[in-house]
Amino acid sequence: RLMVIGEAPGADEDRQGEPFVGRAGQLLNGMLEAIGLKREQVYIANIVKCRPPGNRNPQPEEITACTPYLERQIEILKPRAICTMGLFAAQFLLDSKAPIGRLRGRVFRYRGIPLVPTYHPAYLLRRPEEKAKAWQDLLQVARRLGHGAGR
Ligand code: URA
């Protein structure tokens, strides 16, 4: 029912072939738990499907190469809500160039599906003082799912 969309695999994800299994993934698990969701109940994906060398930002042509897969994932899953994490997922799905600080804090629609942009957990690890805003975003996600902390 919920699809979380991040940026790209890092070194840990690359090794294990699974998204969000490193430190950012641990924080993501905690964020999901805070709204009463187990990781197993959520479909987690990335915008870019391969690890950008040295964890650099994904390049536009890498995003273009990978996003048809993501669009098909969304089509097949038909989630009740989407939560994008970080700049790249939000900008792609919202077809926007706005900074994440301007995109988060609102609920958008992607092909009719409520879409809540929030900060990337890796950013929250560096800037824990931003966690309160991410919490507000997660409450919006819970509300769209009609359960838990957001009711
Ligand atoms: N960051 C992401 O955006 N995705 C992952 O899978 C891991 C870290």
Side-chain angles (χ1 to χ4, degrees):
R1 292 165 73 235
L2 174 62
M3 192 167 176
V4 167
I5 304 176
E7 184 177 313
D12 295 314
E13 289 75 22
D14 210 30
R15 249 192 315 274
Q16 296 185 46
E18 248 192 83
F20 281 105
V21 291
R23 268 185 79 220
Q26 299 300 310
L27 178 56
L28 171 61
N29 292 349
M31 292 164 78
L32 294 173
E33 265 169 39
I35 53 166
L37 288 171
K38 290 203 187 68
R39 185 183 166 104
E40 301 74 53
Q41 296 175 285
V42 178
Y43 192 93
I44 304 171
N46 285 309
I47 281 278
V48 167
K49 305 304 190 189
C50 298
R51 181 187 180 214
N55 290 336
R56 62 158 168 71
N57 288 338
Q59 291 170 354
E61 60 270 29
E62 293 166 342
I63 293 173
T64 303
C66 291
T67 41
Y69 291 95
L70 180 77
E71 287 170 327
R72 188 75 185 116
Q73 284 175 300
I74 299 172
E75 245 173 62
I76 291 169
L77 285 157
K78 299 184 176 56
R80 290 251 316 251
I82 294 172
C83 179
T84 61
M85 302 203 144
L87 181 69
F88 290 95
Q91 285 192 341
F92 172 74
L93 290 174
L94 298 174
D95 193 20
S96 168
K97 291 267 174 260
I100 188 67
R102 287 247 317 281
L103 294 173
R104 68 145 296 280
R106 296 165 56 190
V107 181
F108 295 85
R109 295 231 164 217
Y110 173 84
R111 302 193 179 164
I113 303 164
L115 185 153
V116 180
T118 193
Y119 290 124
H120 195 287
Y123 172 76
L124 295 173
L125 288 171
R126 294 193 303 273
R127 299 280 306 273
E129 67 275 17
E130 299 282 45
K131 282 184 181 176
K133 289 186 206 154
W135 172 239
Q136 291 307 316
D137 300 333
L138 287 170
L139 288 178
Q140 283 300 334
V141 172
R143 244 169 243 141
R144 302 297 139 166
L145 295 172
H147 82 99
R151 217 178 324 198

